[in-house]
Amino acid sequence: MLLATYTGEALEAGLDEAGRGCLAGPVFAAAVLLPPDFAPRFLNDSKQLTARRRELVREVVCREALAWAVGEASSQEITTFNIAQASYLAMHRAVAQLRPQPTHLLVDGNRFKPHATLPHTCIVGGDGLYRSIAAASVLAKTFRDDRMRELAAQYPHYGWEQNAGYPTARHRAAIREHGPTEHHRLGFRLL
């Protein structure tokens, strides 16, 4: 069972990212402030949900959250800063958009670049434990998948509408045959 909050603070925002292990595309992060009684059906870590259930949960989160925002860091920023720093950048961009601003950040994972003014708590596996992080997980994943489908229309050889930029055999075969695009993470081992 997912817990409502970690600290009990009314303005606690959950943070999670999607796309760290991809060979192409931006990394996305979401920040979500939920009402205390928020408990929609199927809410869980996005990796535990089918695509259809993720979309259902996304719709409910976007409609009922106190506030939510999505941030991203481009493949060029990932190459420049590294994937961890780009993930933190995307998270900070998401938090900056929240209105109202949270009083505490609950971050999925074991590391985070501290925010200038907001305290945070890192929780490994938090997307399977806390509602606000699970909601952020779903938003980050679904918004990133949307972006990868848009990019797939421009670059149809790589199968991004199905693999979302992850290192599948088809994706690597397309890189071998067609070379990398401007959306590939050139600092990653592509082949």
Side-chain angles (χ1 to χ4, degrees), residues 72-129:
E72 67 180 280
S74 69
S75 55
Q76 291 80 16
E77 289 172 316
I78 293 166
T79 299
T80 300
F81 302 123
N82 77 41
I83 188 60
Q85 295 304 314
S87 296
Y88 305 148
L89 179 60
M91 287 182 181
H92 284 258
R93 287 173 173 164
V95 170
Q97 297 174 65
L98 289 177
R99 297 293 177 269
Q101 276 285 283
T103 55
H104 187 91
L105 303 175
L106 195 56
V107 184
D108 184 54
N110 63 352
R111 292 190 179 140
F112 181 64
K113 182 177 180 181
H115 189 275
T117 60
L118 298 172
H120 73 277
T121 303
C122 291
I123 300 182
V124 175
D127 49 2
L129 297 171

Side-chain angles (χ1 to χ4, degrees), residues 20-100:
R20 277 182 73 128
C22 296
L23 300 179
V27 64
F28 269 62
V32 181
L33 283 164
L34 295 175
D37 60 346
F38 185 81
R41 190 171 181 206
F42 307 125
L43 179 62
N44 201 348
D45 169 6
S46 66
K47 295 180 291 299
Q48 302 302 315
L49 301 174
T50 64
R52 176 149 170 67
R53 285 190 175 169
R54 279 192 298 268
E55 289 300 327
L56 291 171
V57 171
R58 170 181 161 166
E59 185 178 308
V60 174
V61 170
C62 290
R63 184 179 62 238
E64 296 181 19
L66 299 174
W68 64 271
V70 175
E72 67 180 280
S74 69
S75 55
Q76 291 80 16
E77 289 172 316
I78 293 166
T79 299
T80 300
F81 302 123
N82 77 41
I83 188 60
Q85 295 304 314
S87 296
Y88 305 148
L89 179 60
M91 287 182 181
H92 284 258
R93 287 173 173 164
V95 170
Q97 297 174 65
L98 289 177
R99 297 293 177 269

Side-chain angles (χ1 to χ4, degrees), residues 108-158:
D108 184 54
N110 63 352
R111 292 190 179 140
F112 181 64
K113 182 177 180 181
H115 189 275
T117 60
L118 298 172
H120 73 277
T121 303
C122 291
I123 300 182
V124 175
D127 49 2
L129 297 171
Y130 298 101
R131 290 180 176 137
S132 62
I133 301 176
S137 169
V138 169
L139 294 191
K141 169 75 173 140
T142 56
F143 277 88
R144 186 178 187 283
D145 285 353
D146 288 350
R147 176 64 51 81
M148 293 309 293
R149 280 190 290 274
E150 291 170 9
L151 292 175
Q154 299 170 37
Y155 300 91
H157 302 295
Y158 301 93

